[in-house]
Amino acid sequence: MVASSSSSSFSIFNLTLLLVFITLCLLPSSTSSKSTPAAPPAAIGNGYRLVSLQESSDGGLLGHLQVNKKNNIYGPDIPNLLLYIKHETDDRLRVHISDAQQQRWEVPYDLLPRDRPATTAAIGKSMINPVNAVSEFSGGELLFSCISNPFSFAVKRKSNGQTLFNSTADKSAPYNSLVFKDQYLEISTSLPSDASLYGLGENSQPHGIKLYPNDPYTLWTTDQSAINLNMDLYGSHPVYMDLRNVGGEAYAHGVLLLNSNGMDVFYTGNSLTYKVIGGVLDFYFFAGPSPLGVVDQYTQLIGRPAPMPYWSLGFHQCRWGYHNLSVVEDVVENYNKANIPLDVIWNDDDHMDGHKDFTLNPNAYPRPKLLEFLNKIHARGMKYIVINDPGIGVNSSYGSYQRGIAKDVFIKYEGKPFLAQVWPGAVNFPDFLNPATVAWWGDEVRRFHELVPIDGLWIDMNEASNFCSGLCTMPKGQCPTGTGPGWICCLDCKNITKTKWDDPPYKINASGTHVPIGYKTIATSAVHYNGVREYDAHSIYGFSHAVATHKALQGLEGKRPFILSRSTFVGSGRYTAHWTGDNQGTWNDIKYSISTMLNFGIFGIPMVGSDICGFYPQPTEELCNRWIELGAFYPFSRDHANYYSPRQELYQWDTVATSARNALGMRYKLLPYLYTLTYEAHTTGAPIARPLFFSFPNIKELYGLSTQFLLGESLMVSPVLDQGRTNVSAIFPPGTWYSLFNPSEAIVAKQLQTVVLDAPLHVINVHLYQNTILPMQRGGMISKEARTTPFTLIVTFPAGATDAKASGKLYLDNDELPEMTLGNGQSTYVDFSATASKDVVKVWSDVEESKFALDKGWVIEKITVLGLSGVGGNFAIEVEGFGDFGCFEGGGGRNEA
């Protein structure tokens, strides 16, 4: 008998039915698909047995687990565990396992809002004894089942019986049954060998977007340059998407282990094992079944991506090493002279006084001249963003430090602010888990904004990065304070190994070499607010930094914040954009940038990009040409270079300037489309940049494709990624694809097809898929001007179509408002539709909240229709419904297929 109710709880059943459903279900003991059994490992634990199960007070299930036999490998087993199972939605199942007797560390519920697991039983529901039984719990699309001894559980897709997760460890399994110790948790799942997995970041993956068997996947936020492959980098995202093709039909699901402690994840191709050094096992399963559905369900839990201001989609220029304001002024002027679009100019820490946050260098960046410069660029619509690191310089004459000490905002070690070293020299780190710190930080941001009217903040070094390790004191000599590189530790430091927090029994593969987990960061025995150990909270430091910064910026003028953060965690996308850190100007790094960008879309952080042309060392001229062609289509598009690298602004080479004008010229025409994608991301979680399998999930050959990507559903970018190439081998899914730069050229693929495309130095191939309506504007040198120009609609039908449909969408709003939403009188949303039938093409729109667009005077000046040779060239365009949006000023029905 199988429980098959669509209810997410048993509250509608009486107790007799509850007992039947829980105790009488059957499941095979293992569904592993391993072809070659591996030798079993030495047992780290002996598993648990389920001794009771009952309905919880919130309609889930509560179970109690007891350890079968203790051992002391990596410490003693926790004897009693509490199991909680809840179908939170029709598409989301939660399985939470923790200590039954003592509260353990979890990601704070006020930092990442979610339901708390129930700990009490439903009134009147008696205990039941499921010893040696197999139990099932059905709800929506997912089915939870478990075996009582040794305890294991599985998650199935109810619609087709597919097993998505199965922790059963049979005798041939290369992993253990459930292990739960204070500082070592282990659980595994078997996997079919043809499952394609994505996620588990942040890392630079040399094999592309798919997880590669036996590569290391370690999650522990680390200031480790992105040039280091297969290592734990700046972010921690313990989530993966599993894509399987069954009989030509794709099924995707997602798995999140919500845990901020350090972990190694071992993926063999046939199994996946988590080895975690603390916290709880808090699993969320997302049913999909489409890739977009998985990301939608995931971001529904962790928070939708932040709304982005329109100008943030323009081009950004930065460099560490703009030594004074005149250099910045010169950069802006040279972009203008070169006719290369530029929206945002950035300062790394060159503007600071001795690298100290919230300060200005009075000589290099005198405030009166800086304000004059900002008034000038703000009048044009340009923006200004500066860097801000969490480390606050220990300096008795430094106001931010003085106020921080007075408010008691810093992380402690043995009762004193923990001493570290970053760019200002000796620093203390704010504790963003402390509400007093969040208020102090907001006040510091407000004070700085009054000093310099910045338009956003770039928060860096927030893994947190420390140039020293261990317990440090001030030396008799002087640490560097704003002169020289400053990354050589000059504090007097000694290793800390006396606590279990600094030297845990299991060593994760930190930095790829099993270094101590406190290496070059905050000592893991340091203490946050309410006694929280850095050991537990380390990987959420950048996340908490972003939350505090978002609150601070939003509190300034009520405008939509823009934040760029290096360190991220589950839920960071609700507050911040991300760049992929310190990359190199190499042909390999340009390839890696695509995989990392696509992974962050899955992580719910769609506003992402890499340093165009590479952060260091000097890129070649050819590479920079190719990189700006690609980078013009990153969601976040910024050129950024190292202090010690030669200048690489896009106007430095005539050839690069030409490529920039071509590629960025197209980006600025596409801004309304990109902005609509940010709205879609904010409302549904959908990535802006996506792997091709998001739109063509049934085509297995696309599952590992990492050299092309989509913007939205139908705009495909196929960059040159190899030196010396003047063509590119691109894969085209079936259908008609129109060249965006020359719509009279089209690729008609009858089936999946590889086509060699011409790609001279200044050309990037971008193609628009059939059945699409793409809104564009005329473009311009700055987004403020570009967004005031008339619209063009490009309507694409399959080549030779006589009966076809196309659709598109457009979102417009006042991008200074904090929310990106309809119904406030400051936004307009348009659904475009088109049909081709017989000799007539009809185009119409369904407009919501038309007043905003009408007041702005936006009009559609041209409609271009592609693909209609099948109607013999005799057709008309009937424009319907545009009266609510603007007016139709001209027709462009071209037969260009």
Side-chain angles (χ1 to χ4, degrees):
M1 182 182 295
V2 177
S4 58
S5 168
S6 62
S7 170
S8 62
S9 76
F10 286 112
S11 59
I12 63 172
F13 298 118
N14 61 33
L15 179 59
T16 302
L17 286 176
L18 175 65
L19 294 174
V20 170
F21 277 120
I22 290 179
T23 59
L24 297 182
C25 304
L26 297 177
L27 178 74
S29 62
S30 174
T31 57
S32 171
S33 61
K34 296 183 289 295
S35 57
T36 305
I44 296 174
N46 297 293
Y48 287 77
R49 63 187 181 277
L50 180 64
V51 296
S52 66
L53 197 61
Q54 62 191 132
E55 185 179 350
S56 65
S57 57
D58 64 352
L61 289 180
L62 280 177
H64 285 82
L65 305 174
Q66 287 182 357
V67 68
N68 281 324
K69 182 181 178 182
K70 294 183 180 180
N71 72 32
N72 289 311
I73 302 174
Y74 301 139
D77 298 277
I78 293 176
N80 297 293
L81 303 179
L82 186 65
L83 168 70
Y84 170 74
I85 308 129
K86 177 73 183 294
H87 291 281
E88 294 191 334
T89 71
D90 284 346
D91 299 306
R92 185 173 83 225
L93 168 68
R94 185 181 189 182
V95 178
H96 183 281
I97 305 174
S98 188
D99 189 331
Q101 296 173 318
Q102 293 187 5
Q103 185 174 350
R104 291 179 62 81
W105 163 259
E106 298 187 52
V107 176
Y109 283 80
D110 57 348
L111 192 67
L112 185 63
R114 61 203 188 277
D115 292 339
R116 293 180 181 272
T119 57
T120 57
I123 297 174
K125 304 298 184 183
S126 62
M127 301 289 287
I128 50 179
N129 187 348
V131 176
N132 297 322
V134 179
S135 308
E136 288 191 348
F137 183 30
S138 175
E141 172 58 359
L142 296 176
L143 177 72
F144 173 90
S145 61
C146 63
I147 296 174
S148 61
N149 193 15
F151 172 77
S152 65
F153 72 88
V155 178
K156 282 186 174 182
R157 190 183 300 283
K158 190 158 50 171
S159 59
N160 62 6
Q162 188 179 64
T163 299
L164 310 185
F165 191 96
N166 184 6
S167 70
T168 303
D170 60 27
K171 293 181 180 180
S172 64
Y175 46 81
N176 294 281
S177 295
L178 171 66
V179 181
F180 205 116
K181 301 167 185 283
D182 184 32
Q183 289 184 272
Y184 184 82
L185 285 60
E186 182 182 329
I187 193 168
S188 302
T189 179
S190 58
L191 292 166
S193 57
D194 60 349
S196 297
L197 269 58
Y198 311 87
L200 295 180
E202 177 180 12
N203 52 41
S204 294
Q205 298 176 195
H207 298 107
I209 54 175
K210 280 179 62 173
L211 298 188
Y212 193 79
N214 302 316
D215 272 356
Y217 297 95
T218 298
L219 280 67
W220 181 251
T221 60
T222 306
D223 179 5
Q224 184 80 253
S225 173
I227 68 173
N228 296 286
L229 306 180
N230 290 326
M231 289 189 191
D232 44 315
L233 297 182
Y234 315 105
S236 175
H237 295 273
V239 61
Y240 68 85
M241 177 187 292
D242 181 330
L243 179 61
R244 306 178 190 179
N245 193 294
V246 181
E249 188 170 355
Y251 293 90
H253 69 273
V255 179
L256 166 68
L257 172 55
L258 186 55
N259 182 300
S260 64
N261 291 85
M263 70 179 76
D264 289 329
V265 186
F266 294 92
Y267 170 55
T268 68
N270 291 314
S271 65
L272 186 144
T273 296
Y274 299 89
K275 298 187 176 185
V276 193
I277 61 172
V280 301
L281 296 176
D282 192 4
F283 280 102
Y284 292 85
F285 300 92
F286 308 94
S290 69
L292 272 177
V294 171
V295 181
D296 182 3
Q297 294 151 18
Y298 179 57
T299 57
Q300 185 181 13
L301 171 71
I302 68 167
R304 299 297 196 190
M308 292 290 156
Y310 198 92
W311 53 262
S312 68
L313 293 167
F315 182 68
H316 304 243
Q317 177 61 50
C318 184
R319 176 182 172 80
W320 179 29
Y322 287 151
H323 300 296
N324 56 53
L325 178 59
S326 63
V327 178
V328 176
E329 292 174 316
D330 185 62
V331 169
V332 172
E333 185 57 31
N334 281 328
Y335 266 94
N336 192 47
K337 288 180 180 178
N339 288 313
I340 300 173
L342 179 65
D343 258 80
V344 190
I345 187 72
W346 295 57
N347 262 129
D348 208 310
D349 62 4
D350 304 291
H351 69 285
M352 296 180 181
D353 182 12
H355 299 289
K356 298 191 297 292
D357 284 343
F358 309 120
T359 64
L360 275 182
N361 184 318
N363 298 315
Y365 285 82
R367 183 170 182 259
K369 290 187 177 181
L370 178 58
L371 293 180
E372 182 181 344
F373 167 70
L374 294 182
N375 286 337
K376 179 180 176 181
I377 66 168
H378 282 155
R380 290 169 51 187
M382 285 186 64
K383 306 296 180 181
Y384 177 61
I385 295 176
V386 299
I387 201 167
N388 186 287
D389 297 339
I392 298 296
V394 177
N395 185 323
S396 60
S397 64
Y398 173 30
S400 296
Y401 173 74
Q402 292 173 329
R403 290 184 289 271
I405 289 292
K407 297 287 187 181
D408 193 23
V409 303
F410 297 115
I411 294 171
K412 301 285 183 50
Y413 189 89
E414 295 182 344
K416 298 179 181 178
F418 176 77
L419 191 67
Q421 180 190 326
V422 202
W423 301 116
V427 299
N428 295 149
F429 286 114
D431 175 12
F432 295 107
L433 299 183
N434 185 345
T437 306
V438 175
W440 162 83
W441 186 257
D443 186 58
E444 296 302 317
V445 170
R446 178 192 59 79
R447 289 170 182 267
F448 183 64
H449 189 265
E450 290 175 355
L451 187 71
V452 183
I454 54 169
D455 298 290
L457 278 175
W458 170 19
I459 53 177
D460 191 16
M461 306 291 286
N462 53 356
E463 290 73 31
S465 178
N466 181 3
F467 299 152
C468 303
S469 299
L471 181 61
C472 303
T473 57
M474 293 290 285
K476 293 180 180 179
Q478 185 67 35
C479 266
T481 54
T483 59
W487 57 73
I488 305 300
C489 181
C490 65
L491 300 176
D492 289 334
C493 303
K494 61 180 180 181
N495 290 334
I496 309 175
T497 58
K498 62 183 179 181
T499 76
K500 64 179 184 178
W501 314 114
D502 299 294
D503 188 25
Y506 176 78
K507 318 299 181 191
I508 62 171
N509 190 33
S511 300
T513 55
H514 295 93
V515 300
I517 58 174
Y519 178 74
K520 295 295 183 71
T521 188
I522 300 168
T524 42
S525 54
V527 178
H528 292 254
Y529 181 68
N530 274 348
V532 170
R533 297 284 180 184
E534 170 71 9
Y535 181 88
D536 296 311
H538 170 81
S539 287
I540 61 171
Y541 190 76
F543 179 30
S544 63
H545 188 196
V547 173
T549 305
H550 187 275
K551 183 175 182 179
L553 288 178
Q554 200 166 64
L556 290 177
E557 299 172 311
K559 292 183 179 180
R560 187 176 302 173
F562 179 81
I563 302 167
L564 185 73
S565 180
R566 190 168 75 177
S567 185
T568 59
F569 185 70
V570 175
S572 286
R574 186 178 178 183
Y575 305 96
T576 183
H578 175 65
W579 95 107
T580 62
D582 295 350
N583 58 358
Q584 280 189 309
T586 72
W587 291 96
N588 280 334
D589 283 76
I590 192 175
K591 295 183 181 77
Y592 304 151
S593 74
I594 296 177
S595 297
T596 307
M597 171 182 68
L598 297 179
N599 267 325
F600 269 87
I602 293 172
F603 296 153
I605 309 179
M607 189 64 166
V608 59
S610 294
D611 285 346
I612 293 169
C613 298
F615 182 60
Y616 67 95
Q618 179 180 13
T620 65
E621 183 175 349
E622 181 190 2
L623 176 61
C624 208
N625 270 277
R626 295 308 191 186
W627 211 323
I628 184 53
E629 290 167 4
L630 167 62
F633 298 95
Y634 290 155
F636 173 66
S637 183
R638 185 184 71 161
D639 181 302
H640 179 41
N642 183 279
Y643 186 96
Y644 299 98
S645 298
R647 298 285 289 273
Q648 65 182 46
E649 291 84 6
L650 302 180
Y651 54 77
Q652 298 287 348
W653 300 274
D654 289 342
T655 62
V656 176
T658 299
S659 294
R661 283 189 289 269
N662 290 344
L664 289 174
M666 180 58 73
R667 179 187 182 91
Y668 274 65
K669 293 178 182 178
L670 289 170
L671 287 179
Y673 177 69
L674 293 173
Y675 193 63
T676 301
L677 291 179
T678 68
Y679 174 71
E680 185 179 349
H682 178 56
T683 53
T684 70
I688 299 171
R690 311 170 188 178
L692 266 67
F693 68 73
F694 267 60
S695 287
F696 304 93
N698 294 335
I699 304 177
K700 291 189 291 186
E701 292 83 355
L702 300 178
Y703 289 4
L705 183 60
S706 306
T707 54
Q708 298 167 247
F709 60 94
L710 294 171
L711 292 173
E713 294 181 351
S714 54
L715 197 62
M716 184 169 71
V717 182
S718 306
V720 172
L721 301 172
D722 295 294
Q723 185 176 3
R725 295 292 298 272
T726 56
N727 57 41
V728 61
S729 181
I731 294 177
F732 285 84
T736 304
W737 296 85
Y738 297 92
S739 169
L740 192 63
F741 286 89
N742 184 0
S744 64
E745 297 179 355
I747 302 294
V748 181
K750 301 297 184 183
Q751 56 189 5
L752 189 69
Q753 185 174 341
T754 300
V755 180
V756 177
L757 303 169
D758 288 336
L761 187 62
H762 305 310
V763 170
I764 182 168
N765 283 277
V766 183
H767 287 82
L768 183 62
Y769 194 50
Q770 65 188 32
N771 306 323
T772 300
I773 301 178
L774 178 70
M776 300 175 69
Q777 287 175 289
R778 291 180 182 176
M781 291 286 289
I782 190 169
S783 65
K784 180 182 178 181
E785 299 169 357
R787 77 178 308 202
T788 64
T789 61
F791 282 82
T792 292
L793 300 182
I794 298 181
V795 183
T796 62
F797 293 119
T802 57
D803 188 5
K805 297 179 180 180
S807 62
K809 61 193 77 170
L810 177 65
Y811 176 81
L812 305 161
D813 74 355
N814 174 356
D815 72 323
E816 291 195 337
L817 294 178
E819 294 302 320
M820 200 176 203
T821 186
L822 289 170
N824 58 7
Q826 295 290 305
S827 56
T828 294
Y829 184 83
V830 188
D831 271 317
F832 293 109
S833 301
T835 58
S837 182
K838 298 180 181 179
D839 292 340
V840 177
V841 173
K842 293 183 179 181
V843 182
W844 68 94
S845 63
D846 182 8
V847 184
E848 295 183 55
E849 307 289 328
S850 62
K851 184 178 185 301
F852 176 74
L854 287 169
D855 290 347
K856 292 292 183 181
W858 278 310
V859 296
I860 297 170
E861 65 175 350
K862 184 169 69 172
I863 300 175
T864 299
V865 181
L866 306 176
L868 292 178
S869 59
V871 300
N874 299 315
F875 61 91
I877 297 177
E878 296 182 6
V879 182
E880 302 173 355
F882 285 119
D884 288 338
F885 169 68
C887 64
F888 176 64
E889 292 191 336
R894 299 207 311 269
N895 180 359
E896 297 180 335

